[in-house]
Amino acid sequence: MYDVLLVLHILAATIWTGGHIVLATVILPKVLRTCSPMMLLNFESAYEKIGMPALIVQIVTGLLLAYYMLPDVRLWFDISNPLANGILAKLSLLAATIGFALDAKLRVLPKLSEKSLVTMAWHIIPVTLFSILFVLVGVSFRTGWLY
């Protein structure tokens, strides 16, 4: 079961992180250069169909993997435990990602215009960095190099 969870988690992370890297490095520069909110909205609507399910898969499998590693959920918050540090880092990144995503979805995207493209960029770039950090923290569970 652990192996299946890990494969699903990694596949979902590939979709989520890869999509955000494409968004931040290919789509966003074009959007800002051409001042085209529609280009961004088109990417968002297409990517959301696979990106959001990938995020949900990551959340579910991530929680199950954390439970597999530390079955006592209270230990997830014991900073003296190296595994807990990784779990807390992932949970913190998740909270930050959700915060930025909700703000973008509820406040920025409904009023997206040429004038608010920079505000949207200030949401895209951090979420992309968070997604890369998710991967690095995940790798550290195997390598131990973050703790």
Side-chain angles (χ1 to χ4, degrees), residues 6 9-10 12-14 16-18 20-21 47 54-63 65 85-101 126-142 145-147:
L6 185 59
H9 193 72
I10 291 170
T14 302
W16 180 258
T17 303
H20 278 84
I21 290 171
Y47 174 69
L55 181 60
I56 292 166
V57 168
Q58 279 185 96
I59 293 168
V60 171
T61 58
L63 291 170
L65 288 165
N85 290 326
I87 293 168
L88 281 173
K90 288 262 198 166
L91 291 173
S92 298
L93 289 166
L94 177 60
T97 298
I98 290 171
F100 273 87
V127 170
T128 302
L129 292 174
F130 298 156
S131 71
I132 293 167
L133 289 171
F134 267 122
V135 172
L136 294 175
V137 173
V139 168
S140 78
F141 282 108
R142 290 287 186 205
W145 57 268
L146 284 181
Y147 43 86

Side-chain angles (χ1 to χ4, degrees), residues 11-64:
L11 287 173
T14 302
I15 293 166
W16 180 258
T17 303
H20 278 84
I21 290 171
V22 169
L23 174 59
T25 63
V26 177
I27 304 299
L28 184 60
K30 287 181 187 175
V31 165
L32 293 174
R33 191 171 43 254
T34 61
C35 293
S36 173
M38 190 51 75
M39 187 184 302
L40 181 61
L41 291 171
N42 288 341
F43 178 86
E44 288 282 335
S45 68
Y47 174 69
E48 192 172 77
K49 291 176 182 122
I50 62 167
M52 292 313 292
L55 181 60
I56 292 166
V57 168
Q58 279 185 96
I59 293 168
V60 171
T61 58
L63 291 170
L64 291 171

Side-chain angles (χ1 to χ4, degrees), residues 44 56 63 67 83 89 107 113:
E44 288 282 335
I56 292 166
L63 291 170
Y67 186 78
L83 284 176
R107 187 180 63 85
S113 68

